[in-house]
């Protein structure tokens, strides 16, 4: 029976070590998150306007006009920042299926465009992967780390990473829709009665996405033709799409609370992120 005792001691020692690393890693991660959020706040620029004016819609494509009329009220205060909390699942095994739960908190500022997504993915009992996904001051950041200590980040060329994170900021603007207004530097181009192209520029980066609207005149999906996807050890520029649903009113603004992100590969549409907003709070411009 001695071996059973030693096995119990060994397992207890391993469990204690993992617990200690988890506590230490969580504290380290919280500190790095705080510093990243401070960087984001330091990039904020003064607002150019404080209120949405319906006259701003003149000249826009018809489905875009209908969208803004559906989600905003005239004289709506312009959103300067937002804090978003999610729950959802993340697929670790593309092109297969291995969905695991995550929770996250995200901070967004609309001028200068930026966000910090801080997520916790439950890999195994007692072991979590923490993730920073961010766009700060024109820089893209992607850092997954086991227990918040051991980084799993691959090598992605900085400009490619920044472009991909800027895509995310723009694609999620349905959560903070005043950021899609022309006075917020968005250029809209007509496609047909249910879709339009939107372009946003930040420094040397530019993103154009195809926006599709549903029968209720709300954004149903956004698509870009090339975003950096990690395929094995390679980075492959791949069409990408986000779908949005479950629209509800928050602070007088109609926004989607459920979303799904997918890679559009040659072998079909491959979802990898599904999430639901559990909390959404805004800060509004006072200028």
């Amino acid at each position: 029976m001695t071996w059973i005792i030693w096995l119990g001691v060994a397992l207890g020692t391993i469990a204690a070590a993992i617990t200690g690393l988890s506590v230490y890693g969580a504290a380290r991660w919280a500190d790095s998150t705080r510093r990243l959020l401070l960087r984001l706040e330091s990039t904020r620029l003064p607002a150019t306007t404080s209120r949405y004016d319906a006259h701003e819609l003149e000249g826009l494509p018809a489905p875009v006009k209908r969208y803004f009329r559906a989600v905003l009220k005239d004289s709506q205060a312009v959103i300067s920042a937002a804090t978003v909390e999610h729950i959802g699942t993340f697929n670790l095994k593309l092109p297969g299926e291995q969905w695991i739960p995550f929770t996250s908190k995200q901070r967004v500022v609309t001028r200068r465009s930026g966000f910090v997504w801080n997520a916790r993915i439950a890999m195994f009992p007692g072991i979590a992967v923490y993730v920073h996904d961010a766009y700060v001051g024109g820089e893209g950041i992607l850092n997954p780390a086991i227990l918040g200590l051991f980084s799993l980040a691959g090598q992605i060329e900085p400009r490619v990473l920044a472009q991909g994170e800027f895509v995310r900021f723009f694609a999620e603007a349905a959560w903070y829709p005043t950021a899609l207004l022309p006075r917020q530097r968005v250029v809209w181009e007509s496609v047909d009665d249910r879709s339009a192209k939107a372009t946003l520029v930040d420094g040397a980066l530019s993103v154009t996405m195809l926006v599709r609207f549903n029968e209720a005149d709300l954004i149903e999906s956004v698509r870009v033709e090339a975003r950096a996807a990690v395929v094995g050890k390679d980075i492959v520029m791949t069409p990408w799409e986000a779908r949005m649903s479950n629209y509800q009113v928050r602070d007088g603004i109609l926004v989607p609370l459920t979303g799904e992100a997918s890679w559009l590969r040659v072998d079909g549409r491959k979802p990898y992120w599904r999430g639901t907003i559990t909390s959404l709070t805004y800060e509004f411009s006072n200028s």
Side-chain angles (χ1 to χ4, degrees), residues 177-220:
T178 58
L180 290 169
L181 289 164
R183 290 173 72 178
Q184 305 304 312
R185 302 169 293 115
V186 177
V187 177
W188 288 94
E189 177 187 352
S190 180
V191 174
D192 55 40
D193 195 51
R194 286 293 177 199
S195 61
K197 289 183 178 180
T199 298
L200 180 64
V201 175
D202 183 41
L205 299 179
S206 175
V207 171
T208 297
M209 61 186 184
L210 177 66
V211 183
R212 291 191 172 94
F213 303 89
N214 62 21
E215 293 182 355
D217 299 321
L218 305 174
I219 293 177
E220 183 175 65

Side-chain angles (χ1 to χ4, degrees), residues 1 3 24 28 41 51 61 113 125 139 142 158 166 182 209 211 225 231 254 264 279-280:
M1 298 296 290
W3 69 271
Y24 176 65
R28 284 278 302 273
E41 294 299 318
R51 296 281 172 180
S113 304
E139 177 189 355
L142 176 57
F166 188 35
M209 61 186 184
V211 183
E225 292 308 312
V231 181
L254 192 58
L264 307 179
S279 176
L280 176 59

Side-chain angles (χ1 to χ4, degrees), residues 64-112:
V64 181
K65 288 182 181 179
R66 296 196 298 265
Y67 166 70
F68 284 124
R69 288 168 180 159
V71 302
L72 299 176
K73 297 177 181 178
D74 197 12
S75 297
Q76 167 66 52
V78 169
I79 298 165
S80 60
T83 300
V84 190
E85 296 182 23
H86 314 83
I87 58 172
T89 53
F90 193 88
N91 186 8
L92 291 181
K93 198 178 179 182
L94 286 175
E97 300 272 339
Q98 186 183 349
W99 291 90
I100 58 175
F102 75 85
T103 58
S104 63
K105 187 172 184 177
Q106 181 169 335
R107 177 68 173 172
V108 180
V109 298
T110 57
R111 293 195 76 247
R112 178 179 182 184

